[in-house]
Amino acid sequence: MLATWTVVFISFCYLGLLFAIAYYADERADAGRSVIASPYIYSLSLAVYATAWTFYGSVGRAAENGVGFLPIYIGPTLMIALWWLVMRKILRISKQNRITSLADFIASRYGKSALLGGVVTVIAVIGILPYISLQLKAVSASFTTITGGVPGADTALWVALILAAFTVLFGTRHLDASEHHEGMVAAIAFESLVKLIAFLAVGAWVTWGLYNGFGDIFARAAAAPELSAMLAPLGGVAGDYSSWIWLTILSMFAIIFLPRQFQVTVIENKDEKHLRKAIWLFPLYMLAINIFVLPLAFGGLLHFPKGSDADAFVLTLPMAGKQELLALVVFIGGLSAATGMVIVETIALSTMVCNDLLMPVLLRMRALRLTERRDLTGLLLGIRRGAILLILLLGYLYFRLAGEAYALVSIGLISFAAVAQFAPATLGGIFWKGGTRRGALVGLSAGFAVWVYTLLLPAFARSGWLPLSFLDTGPFGIELLKPLALFGVSGLDQITHAMIWSMLANVGGYVTVSLLRAPSVEEHRQASLFVDVFKRPREAASPRFWRGTASLRDLYDLLARFVGAQAAEEVFAAYARVRHVERSQVQADADLVHYVETQLAGVIGAASAHIMIASVVKEEALSLDEVRTMLDEASQIIVYSHRLEQKSQELERATQELRAANERLTELDRLKDEFVATVSHELRTPLTSIRAFSQILYDNPQMAGEQRAQFLAIITKETERLTRLINQVLDLARIEAGRAEWRVAGVDMRALLADALARMSQVFQERRIAVQLRTPERVPVVRADVDRIIQVVLNLLSNAAKFCEPGRGRVEIGLIEEGGFLRVDVRDNGPGVDARDREIIFDKFRQAGRSPAGGSGLGLHICRRIVEHFGGRIWVTSGGGKGSCFSFTLPCADATLSRQAA
């Protein structure tokens, strides 16, 4: 055992560390540098779901039912997969309406009903009290166990008072409940890490310290007759599928509707995108913190005698093994699990009590004259702090009255069943416009009444506060009304039985009453805002169904009463900036009324804000027909706007296409001018030579025969050059215009290369250039135009001959099959092609800088167009002074056919 003062000192040091973390996070937030603006911190804060129930109670339930503890964690895992559909919608609605709590959310959906918000608050407080008592019981029991003290309620009372003080210190710093409690979230995220590390540490020690791993523990459990049954698929109650199904559904609702979960998931959310990370990180956390539950349960059952407290195995196992430091770590982990839940839960409940229960009542009490007081901030903070203390004391009271009669898990399930009553009104409210305030009230009241009758009253009966005959024979001896076998339905576990009847009453009442009467004007408006939240842009203003008059000064004074003069001035200045007007030009119109109401909602809740706005605004009621007309007009405007946006997008695309076409035409016009100028220059050069030498011959008829022959030879050469240029220009024009004739047939490239080489033989002989042809014996046929391919080969051979030095030149022609293509190489030992010229020589009228024989600059460009037309490509490689190799490829016939088929 550890000394009491040691445990107390360590506990206070730990609480001090939490306060330091919270204080640091708040200071960072005030400086504009948020600590919690991280998806990882957000995901860890969601792990407040894992309370002392998880830390201690899961092992206790596993010790009774084997894997029967799993539905409590399977449910959240299944539900979180739907969060992008459900929770993202709740988040979007809450951000746009400055929702402060779950009660505020439900009240806002159904016409900002103060009565409905109050009912939700009462249900939440009463329903969560068992859960808070669970935490007090767990901390009290673990403290008694680790110190060896005498069990009693005094420890639980001190825990309640200390947690109340701690929660007040850093849980009610901000009056605006829709602001983020940065310090609280940071502390909760840290506690989530602490309890996970502590649980993993004790689990690993039991698994590999006391035993020899998972296999050893499960083998020993299977060998023990009293434990083997718990290894069945559904645990100790094998075959009880209804229990598993309802526990799973119950926990699916709990991950959304527990007030603390709504607080950390919705109210404290900094960025909607954080959900993406939480969707996989939170289930991973749940898996990690449950991986050692069965080894701890079986380890405790094997180690301790029958009848030992299974809820305490997590702590008693290391103490029995003389691992006092590990036991202290476990105690701190359990303290983290309990304090994290209590802090967030009481903050969420105190906000609900203040905004949705007390303030609507107080504001309607004219004797208090609260609407005339200039500053209500102190009153609001006092209510919230008092509510925190009262809630924790009520939790302690429940612990004294009924908590001793149940194991930890059973207490938690009672609270789960209570918050599940919020599911029909909430989920129906965000997906069904037909839900009404009356329907929600009837459904919630009926479901809660069944919960009280089938779960809460039996807890008091087992604790001796009600006669046991109430359970055995029913009230007044009416067996059909037995709370554990209502209307004769027996054979079900208590939770399943209660959930079936409460959900029947809740859903039946909600749907039936909603269908009997149409929603009011305000309900219809709120239903449209909630259900259609994704159909409007986030920045879009909500439709204002408001007609009346308001005073700018009254609105300002009203806001200043609740947030202070400085904050009110900042709100009005921010509104002016949004409207792009000066502060003095702000008008008290419908938009300002809604804006002020929204700001107030973040302080006192939507229902109370609606009451306060009504006290300073003279509003003329709108009839339902007028609202429907507005909605129809708004719908038509939305449809027209959508169509206009589509037309705008189409116009934008057409404009871009026209712009691209214009740029293309401009480029083509430039290329045309360049082409004409180049052709004119190329034509002028041979024509000038022909004209000059012809004129000389005409003016000198007595010219010597040898010189005359020389001039005639020049004229003939220039004529041939002019003819080639004209043919090339015409050929290129036909190709680019798509009017060229292509006579495609099977081509034997070996025969084609031999034919081309024969045509060029005279040129090679005159220049004394050695030629070598290398082709394989058999090559595939290609599909092409023989004349066009010969034109390509002749051009390459002509260029090779042109660039080779006479008498020392060497040209090699090769034919190679590779990858479904035939490749033709024409290699020479000329000067080569510079790297900077290897691409431009295939452009029109572009030649290499060292071309020795001029030319039109069209030959290689025409070659490229021909080769590419048949699916090949052409390129040049050069060794820089060591000759060049012009290569082109053509697809083999088989490859061509396969591509065409594809």
Side-chain angles (χ1 to χ4, degrees):
M1 304 296 175
L2 293 174
T4 301
W5 70 267
T6 302
V7 178
V8 172
F9 176 74
I10 295 298
S11 299
F12 273 97
C13 287
Y14 178 69
L15 293 177
L17 175 61
L18 289 182
F19 184 82
I21 293 172
Y23 181 81
Y24 171 76
D26 278 337
E27 290 297 311
R28 293 267 298 184
D30 293 340
R33 295 177 294 174
S34 174
V35 173
I36 68 172
S38 162
Y40 298 99
I41 299 296
Y42 178 68
S43 300
L44 282 173
S45 70
L46 300 184
V48 73
Y49 179 82
T51 65
W53 172 3
T54 297
F55 201 85
Y56 296 115
S58 291
V59 175
R61 184 173 179 84
E64 293 181 4
N65 299 326
V67 294
F69 74 98
L70 285 178
I72 308 302
Y73 307 99
I74 293 174
T77 303
L78 294 176
M79 175 55 77
I80 207 168
L82 302 174
W83 268 21
W84 198 245
L85 174 66
V86 178
M87 187 54 70
R88 187 168 66 101
K89 192 168 190 177
I90 293 175
L91 266 175
R92 184 75 60 84
I93 293 168
S94 300
K95 299 303 181 186
Q96 291 187 0
N97 295 274
R98 287 175 66 82
I99 299 297
T100 62
S101 65
L102 178 60
D104 192 24
F105 186 93
I106 297 175
S108 296
R109 163 58 181 86
Y110 297 99
K112 301 179 181 178
S113 169
L115 176 60
L116 185 56
V119 170
V120 172
T121 300
V122 171
I123 294 174
V125 171
I126 296 176
I128 294 300
L129 287 181
Y131 212 163
I132 293 176
S133 75
L134 183 157
Q135 314 306 314
L136 301 179
K137 177 180 180 179
V139 175
S140 174
S142 61
F143 181 82
T144 302
T145 300
I146 198 171
T147 59
V150 179
D154 291 341
T155 304
L157 176 61
W158 281 110
V159 170
L161 294 175
I162 292 171
L163 288 179
F166 189 69
T167 305
V168 167
L169 279 175
F170 78 88
T172 56
R173 288 190 60 200
H174 297 292
L175 182 60
D176 186 346
S178 67
E179 290 183 2
H180 301 285
H181 297 79
E182 301 253 349
M184 179 195 73
V185 174
I188 297 306
F190 177 76
E191 286 192 303
S192 295
L193 283 177
V194 170
K195 63 192 176 190
L196 176 62
I197 293 171
F199 198 84
L200 291 177
V202 67
W205 178 78
V206 170
T207 304
W208 289 285
L210 285 182
Y211 299 95
N212 294 322
F214 288 98
D216 182 33
I217 293 179
F218 288 120
R220 295 192 186 194
E226 66 276 10
L227 301 184
S228 59
M230 291 194 297
L231 294 174
L234 295 181
V237 280
D240 193 357
Y241 292 97
S242 62
S243 175
W244 269 64
I245 292 172
W246 277 106
L247 287 179
T248 301
I249 295 173
L250 201 62
S251 55
M252 290 177 71
F253 289 156
I255 196 62
I256 297 179
F257 301 116
L258 281 168
R260 71 173 185 277
Q261 294 303 137
F262 194 89
Q263 182 75 29
V264 295
T265 307
V266 179
I267 308 303
E268 305 297 344
N269 177 268
K270 297 281 286 186
D271 190 339
E272 187 180 288
K273 295 178 181 177
H274 290 174
L275 280 179
R276 295 182 183 273
K277 192 78 68 175
I279 284 173
W280 64 269
L281 269 180
F282 179 72
L284 185 63
Y285 185 97
M286 288 292 98
L287 174 64
I289 205 168
N290 281 287
I291 197 169
F292 288 113
V293 169
L294 284 176
L296 285 167
F298 290 145
L301 291 172
L302 292 169
H303 190 81
F304 295 111
K306 187 176 181 180
S308 300
D309 183 8
D311 285 339
F313 281 171
V314 178
L315 191 58
T316 54
L317 278 170
M319 292 183 65
K322 306 299 182 182
Q323 300 291 324
E324 294 183 349
L325 179 59
L326 179 59
L328 186 59
V329 170
V330 171
F331 174 78
I332 295 298
L335 184 65
S336 296
T339 55
M341 177 272 179
V342 171
I343 290 169
V344 183
E345 203 78 80
T346 51
I347 288 175
L349 291 177
S350 68
T351 301
M352 294 165 68
V353 168
C354 176
N355 294 355
D356 299 284
L357 186 61
L358 293 182
M359 285 306 297
V361 174
L362 296 177
L363 292 173
R364 282 192 167 94
M365 297 174 65
R366 295 183 179 180
L368 297 177
R369 296 184 178 181
L370 293 182
T371 58
E372 300 176 9
R373 291 178 58 174
R374 299 199 59 83
D375 189 355
L376 294 172
T377 55
L379 174 64
L380 293 172
L381 287 174
I383 291 175
R384 290 180 185 173
R385 290 166 180 168
I388 289 172
L389 177 61
L390 179 62
I391 289 167
L392 282 169
L393 289 178
L394 288 174
Y396 166 74
L397 182 62
Y398 182 91
F399 168 66
R400 290 295 305 269
L401 295 178
E404 296 293 347
Y406 287 90
L408 295 181
V409 169
S410 299
I411 298 175
L413 290 176
I414 293 174
S415 290
F416 271 27
V419 299
Q421 306 307 315
F422 300 136
T426 305
L427 297 179
I430 64 176
F431 291 109
W432 181 40
K433 292 183 181 179
T436 65
R437 178 181 66 88
R438 291 175 181 267
L441 276 172
V442 170
L444 279 168
S445 301
F448 180 64
V450 173
W451 174 84
V452 171
Y453 189 76
T454 57
L455 286 176
L456 191 62
L457 294 184
F460 288 132
R462 286 183 174 135
S463 301
W465 294 92
L466 289 175
L468 283 175
S469 60
F470 174 73
L471 300 179
D472 298 333
T473 61
F476 311 108
I478 305 174
E479 293 197 358
L480 284 178
L481 297 182
K482 289 197 299 184
L484 301 184
L486 197 59
F487 303 121
V489 177
S490 59
L492 299 174
D493 68 273
Q494 186 177 0
I495 296 298
T496 301
H497 173 266
M499 282 299 297
I500 290 175
W501 285 115
S502 64
M503 283 294 109
L504 280 175
N506 195 329
V507 176
Y510 173 65
V511 174
T512 302
V513 175
S514 294
L515 291 175
L516 289 177
R517 187 170 180 177
S520 67
V521 172
E522 186 67 16
E523 290 174 58
H524 201 290
R525 182 180 84 91
Q526 292 300 104
S528 297
L529 295 180
F530 276 52
V531 176
D532 297 332
V533 67
F534 286 133
K535 294 183 179 180
R536 295 180 291 109
R538 297 190 197 186
E539 300 79 8
S542 303
R544 307 285 175 254
F545 303 146
W546 180 85
R547 182 173 60 198
T549 58
S551 165
L552 188 67
R553 186 65 195 178
D554 287 344
L555 291 172
Y556 175 83
D557 289 343
L558 174 63
L559 188 61
R561 289 178 205 159
F562 292 94
V563 301
Q566 181 179 354
E569 184 61 37
E570 292 175 356
V571 168
F572 273 72
Y575 177 80
R577 287 193 299 271
V578 171
R579 298 299 296 268
H580 304 291
V581 297
E582 296 295 329
R583 168 67 176 85
S584 59
Q585 297 175 331
V586 173
Q587 300 293 323
D589 54 11
D591 285 329
L592 180 62
V593 171
H594 176 79
Y595 187 78
V596 172
E597 183 177 345
T598 303
Q599 301 305 311
L600 279 175
V603 182
I604 58 176
S608 298
H610 197 56
I611 294 171
M612 293 307 301
I613 286 292
S615 70
V616 298
V617 171
K618 296 179 180 179
E619 183 175 0
E620 299 177 23
L622 293 173
S623 68
L624 184 58
D625 290 337
E626 288 177 309
V627 174
R628 286 173 176 167
T629 301
M630 289 180 179
L631 288 173
D632 291 340
E633 292 175 355
S635 300
Q636 293 174 7
I637 291 173
I638 291 172
V639 172
Y640 176 75
S641 175
H642 182 64
R643 291 177 179 173
L644 188 62
E645 183 180 359
Q646 289 180 328
K647 295 293 184 183
S648 176
Q649 292 174 351
E650 292 173 1
L651 182 60
E652 178 64 23
R653 287 194 295 269
T655 302
Q656 292 176 353
E657 292 173 359
L658 287 173
R659 188 181 296 114
N662 183 62
E663 292 175 355
R664 177 61 179 162
L665 288 173
T666 302
E667 177 66 13
L668 289 175
D669 186 64
R670 184 189 66 79
L671 293 174
K672 181 263 296 179
D673 292 340
E674 180 181 320
F675 179 79
V676 171
T678 304
V679 169
S680 299
H681 172 74
E682 294 293 334
L683 290 174
R684 190 180 298 112
T685 300
L687 283 174
T688 301
S689 297
I690 293 172
R691 180 179 180 182
F693 283 106
S694 298
Q695 187 67 41
I696 292 173
L697 290 174
Y698 179 79
D699 292 340
N700 299 279
Q702 303 301 324
M703 182 180 295
E706 183 178 350
Q707 190 173 13
R708 177 183 295 273
Q710 182 182 359
F711 285 178
L712 287 173
I714 293 174
I715 291 173
T716 301
K717 182 177 180 181
E718 291 300 321
T719 303
E720 292 173 352
R721 178 183 175 188
L722 182 62
T723 301
R724 284 197 307 272
L725 178 59
I726 293 172
N727 289 336
Q728 288 178 334
V729 170
L730 293 175
D731 203 11
L732 180 61
R734 285 192 294 269
I735 292 175
E736 292 186 340
R739 296 196 302 270
E741 295 183 4
W742 305 94
R743 298 182 179 88
V744 180
V747 178
D748 182 353
M749 289 301 296
R750 293 176 72 254
L752 185 145
L753 292 178
D755 184 16
L757 196 56
R759 297 189 190 189
M760 289 291 298
S761 59
Q762 185 63 33
V763 175
F764 288 129
Q765 289 178 6
E766 290 176 357
R767 296 181 61 83
R768 291 173 289 134
I769 296 173
V771 181
Q772 185 176 11
L773 175 63
R774 295 180 178 176
T775 62
E777 293 183 0
R778 299 181 62 182
V779 293
V781 175
V782 299
R783 298 280 297 174
D785 187 324
V786 174
D787 294 334
R788 294 291 186 183
I789 301 304
I790 283 185
Q791 181 180 351
V792 172
V793 177
L794 290 176
N795 187 281
L796 298 181
L797 291 175
S798 176
N799 285 342
K802 187 189 305 181
F803 283 92
C804 284
E805 183 179 348
R808 302 181 60 182
R810 187 177 69 256
V811 175
E812 296 180 0
I813 304 100
L815 181 62
I816 303 170
E817 179 187 1
E818 57 179 14
F821 287 82
L822 284 184
R823 191 184 79 213
V824 177
D825 296 327
V826 178
R827 190 183 307 274
D828 64 66
N829 63 345
V833 181
D834 290 341
R836 63 177 179 273
D837 295 330
R838 290 174 192 169
E839 287 297 327
I840 66 172
I841 60 175
F842 292 100
D843 294 338
K844 288 182 287 189
F845 304 109
R846 301 296 294 271
Q847 297 178 329
R850 292 184 291 179
S851 177
S856 66
L858 290 175
L860 287 176
H861 181 72
I862 293 174
C863 289
R864 184 173 68 178
R865 297 298 296 267
I866 293 172
V867 170
E868 290 178 351
H869 177 81
F870 292 112
R873 67 186 188 93
I874 186 170
W875 70 94
V876 62
T877 54
S878 180
K882 297 181 180 180
S884 58
C885 178
F886 283 82
S887 304
F888 70 89
T889 61
L890 292 172
C892 300
D894 292 342
T896 304
L897 291 174
S898 65
R899 280 202 305 275
Q900 290 174 349

